[in-house]
Amino acid sequence: MTHGIEQVVQRGMCVGCGACAVRTSGAIPVTIGRFGVYEARLDGVDPAVVRDASRVCPFSDDARNEDDLARELFPGLPTDDRIGAHLDVFAGRRTSENELVASSSGGLTSLMLTELLRGGVVDGVLHVGRSASGDQLFTYEISTTSEDVERSRKSMYSATTLADVVAEIRGDGRTYAVVGLPCFIKALRLLAHEMPGLGEQLRVYVGLVCGHLKSSFFAESLAWQAGVPPHELGRIDFRVKNPERSSGDYDYEVAARDGAEPRVRRTSSTIDGPWEYGAFQPEACNFCDDVFAESADVVFADAWLPQYKADWRGMNAVVVRDERLRELLLAARRRGEIHLEALSVDEAARSQAGGLRHRRTGLAVRLADDMRRGLSVPTKRVAPDLRVVTRRRAAVIRQRRRMSQLSLETFAIARQAGDFELYAAPMRRAIQRYRLFEAASLGLRPFARALRRRILPARRRPADQ
Ligand SMILES: Cc1cc2nc3c(=O)[nH]c(=O)nc-3n(C[C@H](O)[C@H](O)[C@H](O)COP(=O)(O)OP(=O)(O)OC[C@H]3O[C@@H](n4cnc5c(N)ncnc54)[C@H](O)[C@@H]3O)c2cc1C
Ligand code: SF4
Ligand code: SF4
C-alpha cells in the first residue's frame, strides 16, 4: 500500500513542516500537539485536497524523493550517498572572535544570510528566531536586515512550522532565502514545484545538517533541570560556548519570565542533553534518510572532527551546491572575514557519523521492524533489512527508539503534574538499559556486567550537535 499523507499523520510521522497547510491554503491545519511538536490534522478535509497535500509531504510516497529532487536541481554535480551532491566542501568559521562566540558553530550560516541580503540576492530571509509573543519560544520569522539576521543566530532545538510564515510571504512580490532542516527544505522544494509563484519567490535554500528534531519539551526539561519549571521559562539559549571545554561540550542558558538572573548549566550534565539518547525526538525522525539537506543549495553543520573539536569556539562543515553561494564564501575569505579550508567528502561524512548511522543502518532496522508488525512505512532510499547490524546492535537501535517515545509520553505527564521525577525516573532507567545494550553490542562484557550491578557511575557524554 502507498504510504501517503494519511498514513504519515495516522502513524504520528508528521514533522509539522506545514507544507500541506500551505498547499491547501489552510484547509489542513497544522497546530502544536500534546507532545510539543506541530502536527497536521486531516479529519473532514476533502479527499482531493488531501491528495494535493500528499505530493508536498516529505514523508509521503506521493512526493518525489531527495535523489529525484537533487538530480533536477544540481545536474552534473558529483554526488555521494552520504552528503549528496557537492560542488565544494569546506570547514570554516568567522574570524571575528565576538561574532564567532555569538554563533552556534562557526557562524557561517548567519554570515551567508547577511551576504545574501547585502548583495541584493534576496529581499528577505525566513529563519527561526526567538518568538516575541505567543506560547512558543521559537517561530519562523522574516528578516530583512543584517541586524535582524544577527539577532537570530544559534541553533533552535525546538519544533517549528513553516505554515504561517510561508502563507505570510506568498504573493508579496519579494524574494527570499529560507533556512531549514533537511525535511523542511525538501517540503519547500516540493511546494515550489507545485506552486510556481511561490517557487519564484524562494530563491535560496539554506540547509542545516540535522541529527534529529526536538519537541518543545527539550527546552522545558533543560530549564527544569536548571531550576526553572516549564510555565516559568522565558528564554533559552541552547548553545553557550565554554572556553574551558571542547566545542561539543557546551552549556545552555535559561531565563525565567520573572527577569531573575539567567542560569547556565552544562548540557552534558543533564538527563537528556546527550543527543545519542534521542530524547524528545518525534517519530518522523525515525523515518528520515537525509542528513545533509540534500536538496538545499548549501548546508551548514558543526565540523565534529577531532582536528576541530578541541577548539571551544566552534567550526562549520559546509557543503556547497551552488556557484553563486560558493563565490559569496570565497569573497568573504578574500576580505578576511572568514577562515575557509578544504574538507574532503569523507571528512564531511565522518563529522556526522552518528547521524548517518541513525539514518542508514538504524533506519533499515526500524523499517524492517515495522513491516514485520504489518505497519505502513514510507519508501525510503534505505532498504528494510535486519541483517545490516548484529542482534546486539539492533537492541541498541530499538532501545533508542523506545527512549524517544518514553521521553515524550512521560514528560507530558510530568509537566501536567508539575513533578519532574515522573519523567526523570523512567528516563534514567531507560538510559541505563541503553548503556547496557550498547556495552554488550561493543563486546564489553565485564563493563556490561558491572553496569547491570549498577556499580559504575554515569559516564559523562558530550552533547555534540
Ligand atoms: C534541530 C537541529 C538539529 C541539528 N543537528 C545537527 C547535527 O546532528 N549535526 C550537526 O553538525 N549540526 C546539526 N545542527 C546544525 C547546527 O546546530 C548549527 O545550526 C549549524 O552548524 C550552523 O551553525 P552556525 O554557527 O553556522 O549558525 P549561526 O550563524 O549561529 O546561525 C544559525 C541560523 O540558523 C537558523 N536556525 C536555527 N535553528 C533553526 C531551525 N530549527 N530551523 C530553521 N532555522 C534555524 C537561525 O535563525 C540562524 O539564522 C542541527 C540544528 C538543528 C536546529
Ligand atoms: S510532515 Fe509536513 S506536509 Fe506532511 S503532514 Fe506533516 S505538516 Fe503536513
Ligand atoms: S531528522 Fe530528518 S525528519 Fe527529523 S527533523 Fe531532521 S531532517 Fe527532519
Side-chain angles (χ1 to χ4, degrees):
M1 188 179 72
T2 302
H3 187 89
I5 194 171
E6 298 91 334
Q7 287 72 28
V8 172
V9 170
Q10 184 253 324
R11 288 223 49 212
M13 282 180 200
C14 170
V15 80
C17 67
C20 54
V22 176
R23 180 67 187 90
T24 63
S25 302
I28 296 179
V30 175
T31 51
I32 196 85
R34 71 191 169 105
F35 293 148
V37 181
Y38 284 88
E39 298 168 353
R41 281 205 320 276
L42 302 180
D43 22 285
V45 182
D46 181 331
V49 171
V50 173
R51 293 273 56 76
D52 287 342
S54 197
R55 289 196 299 280
V56 298
C57 172
F59 296 95
S60 159
D61 285 352
D62 294 323
R64 290 186 303 157
N65 75 12
E66 292 80 351
D67 285 345
D68 281 353
L69 291 169
R71 253 194 307 274
E72 185 180 296
L73 294 164
F74 316 116
L77 285 192
T79 189
D80 174 90
D81 64 359
R82 298 160 299 174
I83 72 163
H86 48 93
L87 176 64
D88 229 330
V89 186
F90 298 112
R93 67 181 184 198
R94 297 201 193 203
T95 45
S96 150
E97 187 93 357
N98 286 348
E99 303 295 346
L100 187 55
V101 171
S103 312
S104 244
S105 175
L108 295 189
T109 312
S110 45
L111 176 124
M112 171 64 80
L113 301 174
T114 302
E115 289 306 307
L116 289 168
L117 285 175
R118 276 208 198 118
V121 180
V122 293
D123 302 318
V125 167
L126 311 181
H127 60 149
V128 174
R130 290 156 194 92
S131 174
S133 59
D135 57 351
Q136 295 304 307
L137 292 177
F138 303 100
T139 52
Y140 261 92
E141 60 183 25
I142 305 166
S143 287
T144 53
T145 65
S146 44
E147 290 74 30
D148 290 346
V149 168
E150 300 292 359
R151 236 193 325 273
S152 293
R153 279 180 283 185
K154 302 233 184 151
S155 306
M156 327 277 174
Y157 297 133
S158 197
T160 50
T161 183
L162 278 158
D164 299 333
V165 83
V166 175
E168 189 179 337
I169 60 121
R170 197 176 151 198
D172 71 359
R174 310 182 91 187
T175 58
Y176 295 92
V178 59
V179 187
L181 298 170
C183 56
F184 280 53
I185 295 288
K186 178 183 176 187
L188 286 167
R189 289 288 197 187
L190 295 164
L191 270 177
H193 185 79
E194 290 272 321
M195 304 169 81
L198 179 63
E200 272 298 302
Q201 289 186 263
L202 300 177
R203 293 281 167 88
V204 183
Y205 297 74
V206 177
L208 297 175
V209 158
C210 181
H212 60 264
L213 185 61
K214 296 288 191 189
S215 100
S216 62
F217 290 175
F218 184 49
E220 294 183 350
S221 176
L222 293 182
W224 221 344
Q225 290 171 81
V228 178
H231 60 277
E232 289 175 24
L233 174 59
R235 181 178 62 76
I236 183 162
D237 178 347
F238 292 102
R239 297 272 301 247
V240 178
K241 298 179 185 187
N242 188 318
E244 312 277 302
R245 301 196 222 107
S246 65
S247 57
D249 198 355
Y250 46 80
D251 292 330
Y252 66 97
E253 182 181 285
V254 291
R257 286 185 203 277
D258 64 8
E261 191 67 12
R263 299 162 189 216
V264 178
R265 293 282 185 282
R266 188 177 187 169
T267 305
S268 63
S269 70
T270 61
I271 294 175
D272 27 36
W275 279 57
E276 65 172 301
Y277 297 157
F280 306 120
Q281 179 204 277
E283 179 71 343
C285 305
N286 282 323
F287 292 90
C288 171
D289 58 18
D290 183 0
V291 177
F292 278 85
E294 294 176 39
S295 52
D297 296 312
V298 61
V299 59
F300 294 94
D302 284 283
W304 297 133
L305 291 165
Q307 65 267 38
Y308 304 124
K309 269 173 97 166
D311 187 335
W312 64 279
R313 292 168 300 179
M315 180 75 88
N316 284 121
V318 190
V319 177
V320 191
R321 305 185 179 111
D322 181 291
E323 185 56 53
R324 283 172 314 167
L325 306 187
R326 173 165 70 172
E327 190 42 46
L328 284 180
L329 288 174
L330 295 176
R333 178 169 70 180
R334 286 195 291 277
R335 293 193 304 271
E337 290 172 10
I338 66 171
H339 166 82
L340 206 60
E341 64 192 42
L343 200 64
S344 73
V345 168
D346 283 341
E347 283 176 305
R350 213 175 309 130
S351 79
Q352 305 301 323
L356 283 162
R357 265 197 310 277
H358 177 50
R359 250 75 68 72
R360 297 294 189 271
T361 48
L363 176 56
V365 170
R366 290 186 292 274
L367 287 169
D369 278 352
D370 282 14
M371 287 174 75
R372 277 219 300 214
R373 291 165 60 207
L375 299 170
S376 175
V377 294
T379 306
K380 303 306 297 183
R381 296 174 297 166
V382 170
D385 194 348
L386 289 174
R387 294 163 309 177
V388 291
V389 289
T390 61
R391 284 218 325 273
R392 287 184 173 152
R393 189 68 210 161
V396 177
I397 292 166
R398 289 175 183 134
Q399 179 63 5
R400 187 184 192 274
R401 188 174 180 187
R402 277 193 286 270
M403 283 155 67
S404 299
Q405 193 56 31
L406 179 81
S407 60
L408 293 167
E409 285 169 5
T410 56
F411 196 84
I413 294 167
R415 76 197 287 274
Q416 179 83 21
D419 181 355
F420 185 69
E421 276 307 299
L422 293 177
Y423 156 71
M427 197 61 188
R428 276 193 213 101
R429 283 194 296 275
I431 291 169
Q432 202 160 41
R433 217 170 146 71
Y434 171 85
R435 294 179 58 224
L436 190 65
F437 288 148
E438 197 192 27
S441 85
L442 295 170
L444 304 174
R445 291 228 176 112
F447 183 68
R449 263 201 302 277
L451 256 176
R452 210 171 286 128
R453 285 191 234 113
R454 299 182 183 191
I455 59 170
L456 282 183
R459 188 152 55 98
R460 193 183 289 286
R461 309 216 155 188
D464 263 12
Q465 285 173 54

